[in-house]
């Protein structure tokens, strides 16, 4: 991919993966499964249970905006930083959902023990990784243009 508009390919794929993640199941517990849309709508409350992964979503939104509209190397670097933080937060979801079983306990054991991650969480993390790759690509592209 070459040209100044290549970043939009990354942006489109990231948005497509994010959209797909909303339609799939995200986490399965013994007696209940949470889908991607439910996790998006209610995940912000996870901070009460020390689960901060949801907060990658606002950073992803900011990163998408920077990737689409920021001009110059400073905007590209900002996108890389913001989306790198989003990746760390998103990956923390695997640790906290798996090891703490917070949702099961917070629902009065109605959900039961953690069983497995479902496709939505992988699509969601993939959308953030693609956006970050686009930001890194854009930053390198601008650096190469400045050196030429």
């Amino acid at each position: 991919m070459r040209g100044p508009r290549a970043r939009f390919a990354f942006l489109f794929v990231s948005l497509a993966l994010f959209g797909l993640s909303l339609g799939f199941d995200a986490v399965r517990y013994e007696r209940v499964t949470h889908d991607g849309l439910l996790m998006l709508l209610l995940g912000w409350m996870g901070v009460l249970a020390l689960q901060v992964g949801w907060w990658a979503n606002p950073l992803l939104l900011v990163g998408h905006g920077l990737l689409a509209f920021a001009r110059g190397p400073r905007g590209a670097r900002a996108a890389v930083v913001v989306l790198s933080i989003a990746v760390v937060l998103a990956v923390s979801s695997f640790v906290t959902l798996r090891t703490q079983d917070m949702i099961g306990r917070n629902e009065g054991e109605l959900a039961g023990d953690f069983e497995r991650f479902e496709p939505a969480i992988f699509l969601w993390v993939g959308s953030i990784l693609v956006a970050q790759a686009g930001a890194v690509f854009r930053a390198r592209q601008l650096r190469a243009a400045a050196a030429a």
Side-chain angles (χ1 to χ4, degrees):
M1 281 187 287
R2 298 201 189 277
R5 302 211 185 267
R7 65 183 175 209
F8 293 109
F10 286 100
L11 185 62
F12 175 77
V13 172
S14 176
L15 288 168
L17 289 172
F18 186 85
L20 281 172
S21 76
L22 299 178
F24 286 95
D25 291 338
V27 181
R28 180 178 305 274
Y29 291 90
E30 268 183 274
R31 293 177 284 281
V32 71
T33 300
H34 298 295
D35 64 24
L37 184 59
L38 178 71
M39 297 293 272
L40 176 64
L41 295 175
L42 300 179
W44 62 270
M45 291 187 291
V47 76
L48 300 173
L50 304 175
Q51 211 293 10
V52 295
W54 180 90
W55 293 94
N57 291 311
L59 293 176
L60 178 61
L61 181 64
V62 169
H64 281 159
L66 288 169
L67 188 57
F69 302 114
R71 304 261 184 224
R74 181 177 275 172
R77 280 193 302 268
V80 170
V81 169
V82 166
L83 290 166
S84 295
I85 295 168
V87 167
V88 170
L89 290 175
V91 171
S92 78
S93 294
F94 291 105
V95 176
T96 55
L97 288 172
R98 176 71 178 105
T99 59
Q100 293 179 359
D101 287 333
M102 294 303 284
I103 292 176
R105 278 189 267 147
N106 288 341
E107 292 180 356
E109 292 297 327
L110 295 176
D113 292 333
F114 173 88
E115 285 189 0
R116 68 179 174 267
F117 293 110
E118 295 289 338
I121 199 162
F122 300 109
L123 290 168
W124 172 64
V125 172
S127 75
I128 298 169
L129 289 171
V130 167
Q132 183 192 32
V136 169
F137 176 80
R138 178 72 174 148
R140 287 185 178 180
Q141 193 178 45
L142 290 172
R143 189 177 327 131

